[in-house]
Amino acid sequence: MKKKILAVVVALAAFVGLFASQPVQKQSIQAAKTTKTAKKTTKKAKAKQISVTYTLKDTTKAKNKQTLAKKTFKVKKGTTVFTVLKKAWKVNYTKSLYGDGVFITKIKGLGNEKKKLYWTYTVDGKMVKVAADKQKLTKNKSKVVFTLKKY
């Protein structure tokens, strides 16, 4: 009789153990899938991020181009030059009445329309033909240089 009770208890324990382990396995599989999805999402987010270096130069006082400031940012690919500039420094600007974009009048308090001191900018060494709020950043390790010049 004791053997029969013992056999039933062992069988019951094995039965409970068998089914108790099933949800744990499913949870482990689900956790692994979630981890893989999170890794893919992180890789996509990193792929969309680019590094951009901004430099401010003043050519109005010295013969050589004087660097005023330099900052590097991680930004979302497709962000405009102007968006990052506004995050980095205080910027004064006017908007075009014709939708051509913004005209930057001062950065860090520097610039003077009366003295014909204006800001221009380049991206990767090339003069850009659109306003800063229209120019999108698409290349990793781009270099944006704003230069204060007298015209």
Side-chain angles (χ1 to χ4, degrees), residues 60 111-118 148-151:
T60 62
N112 189 327
E113 291 182 73
K114 291 179 184 177
K115 293 184 179 181
K116 297 184 180 183
L117 300 176
Y118 298 104
L148 183 63
K149 295 182 179 183
K150 185 170 185 164
Y151 287 93

Side-chain angles (χ1 to χ4, degrees), residues 52-102:
V52 182
T53 301
Y54 276 62
T55 304
L56 300 182
K57 292 187 176 187
D58 182 356
T59 62
T60 62
K61 295 180 182 176
K63 290 182 181 178
N64 297 329
K65 294 180 182 180
Q66 180 184 6
T67 299
L68 303 172
K70 190 173 189 174
K71 293 182 180 182
T72 300
F73 303 91
K74 291 273 187 191
V75 299
K76 184 178 175 184
K77 188 175 183 178
T79 302
T80 66
V81 167
F82 187 61
T83 300
V84 180
L85 180 68
K86 288 191 310 182
K87 287 181 183 179
W89 297 286
K90 184 178 187 303
V91 179
N92 296 54
Y93 61 94
T94 58
K95 291 185 179 182
S96 168
L97 297 175
Y98 307 104
D100 296 333
V102 297

Side-chain angles (χ1 to χ4, degrees), residues 34-56:
T34 304
T35 303
K36 286 180 183 178
T37 304
K39 286 180 181 179
K40 286 181 184 177
T41 304
T42 304
K43 285 181 182 179
K44 286 180 182 178
K46 285 182 181 179
K48 292 181 182 179
Q49 292 282 317
I50 59 173
S51 177
V52 182
T53 301
Y54 276 62
T55 304
L56 300 182

